[in-house]
């Protein structure tokens, strides 16, 4: 697959929606930026208005499981429930079922890939905002590492992360970056589709890692 016209970057936000997601959506809207949200099913049910707002603003919504367990440690029935229940909840709220999965902790195996039935999306830039809850750290970590074609992992349940996003958008906009969804980033100008069960963990619209 060819990468999207450079420079493009996909900002992704995991674990929400949460108490700071509305503020994040305001910030993204002010820059005309689109992002991808990997929402947790329990939070979708708790805050459906934010999920509808994500979809209405043109952001991409992915599946991040129902309760954020390590999927590789689950039995077959629970594994399917974590994925399917979340897809159903997102579909009920937005009218469209998610087409992407990010497994919690990035952990997957053959069973998870098969149960997902959709592409698995990893990342290429991780500021570790869940560990270092400091706005300046998150801002520097992203700005120092990001390159065209990167997928940036962040968490909209972290107040310090949401506070970092305005500066990240401001600086990257000044560098000429476009803020696109994961599907847009990997599809490129040819509009190629992501492959179910494949793992996407390399920047620049690279071909997926082997699923088997």
């Amino acid at each position: 697959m060819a990468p999207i016209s450079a420079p493009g970057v996909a900002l992704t936000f995991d674990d929400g929606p949460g108490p700071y997601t509305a503020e994040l959506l305001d910030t993204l809207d002010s820059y005309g930026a689109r992002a991808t949200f990997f929402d947790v099913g329990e939070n979708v049910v708790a805050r459906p208005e934010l999920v509808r707002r994500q979809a209405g603003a043109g952001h991409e919504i992915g599946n991040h499981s129902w309760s954020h367990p390590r999927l590789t440690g689950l039995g077959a029935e629970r594994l399917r429930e974590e994925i399917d229940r979340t897809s159903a909840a997102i579909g009920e709220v937005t009218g469209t079922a998610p087409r992407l999965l990010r497994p919690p902790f990035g952990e997957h195996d053959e069973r998870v890939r098969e149960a997902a039935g959709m592409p698995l999306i990893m990342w290429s830039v991780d500021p570790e905002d869940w560990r270092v809850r400091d706005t300046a750290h998150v801002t520097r970590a992203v700005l120092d590492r990001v390159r065209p074609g990167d997928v940036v992992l962040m968490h909209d349940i972290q107040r310090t992360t949401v506070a970092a996003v305005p500066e990240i958008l401001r600086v990257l906009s000044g560098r000429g970056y476009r803020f696109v969804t994961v599907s847009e980033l990997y599809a490129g100008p040819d509009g190629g589709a992501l492959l179910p069960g494949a793992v996407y963990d390399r920047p620049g619209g690279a071909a997926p890692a082997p699923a088997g």
Side-chain angles (χ1 to χ4, degrees), residues 22-196:
E23 178 184 346
L24 173 60
L25 289 169
D26 289 341
T27 300
L28 293 169
D29 183 63
S30 69
Y31 279 87
R34 286 196 287 184
T36 300
F37 290 87
F38 288 97
D39 287 339
V40 171
E42 291 178 336
N43 294 336
V44 171
V45 172
R47 295 182 170 92
E49 72 285 354
L50 291 175
V51 181
R52 280 191 290 268
R53 187 177 167 192
Q54 290 170 353
H59 302 297
E60 187 166 32
I61 301 174
N63 185 318
H64 198 43
S65 82
W66 181 261
S67 61
H68 207 275
R70 297 183 184 275
L71 297 179
T72 54
L74 302 182
E77 183 175 350
R78 173 81 187 283
L79 172 59
R80 293 292 328 179
E81 181 183 11
E82 283 284 335
I83 296 171
D84 293 349
R85 192 177 180 189
T86 303
S87 289
I90 293 172
E92 183 175 348
V93 170
T94 67
T96 304
R99 296 181 295 177
L100 307 175
L101 173 74
R102 174 172 284 164
F105 312 102
E107 294 184 1
H108 59 87
D109 56 18
E110 186 174 356
R111 292 189 317 116
V112 172
R113 295 189 291 271
E114 182 177 350
M118 62 185 99
L120 276 66
I121 307 300
M122 301 296 121
W123 54 85
S124 52
V125 175
D126 179 6
E128 296 190 329
D129 61 333
W130 57 271
R131 183 177 66 86
V132 184
R133 301 182 185 182
D134 178 83
T135 296
H137 166 85
V138 174
T139 303
R140 286 194 306 270
V142 173
L143 295 179
D144 288 350
R145 301 174 195 171
V146 73
R147 298 292 183 270
D150 272 330
V151 177
V152 182
L153 168 65
M154 292 184 281
H155 297 80
D156 53 318
I157 61 170
Q158 300 296 344
R159 177 185 57 80
T160 47
T161 297
V162 171
V165 173
E167 181 68 1
I168 291 171
L169 292 174
R170 186 189 69 80
V171 173
L172 292 183
S173 293
R175 295 178 186 173
Y177 276 84
R178 299 169 58 224
F179 305 103
V180 298
T181 67
V182 165
S183 291
E184 289 172 331
L185 185 75
Y186 277 107
D190 298 331
L194 297 173
L195 304 177

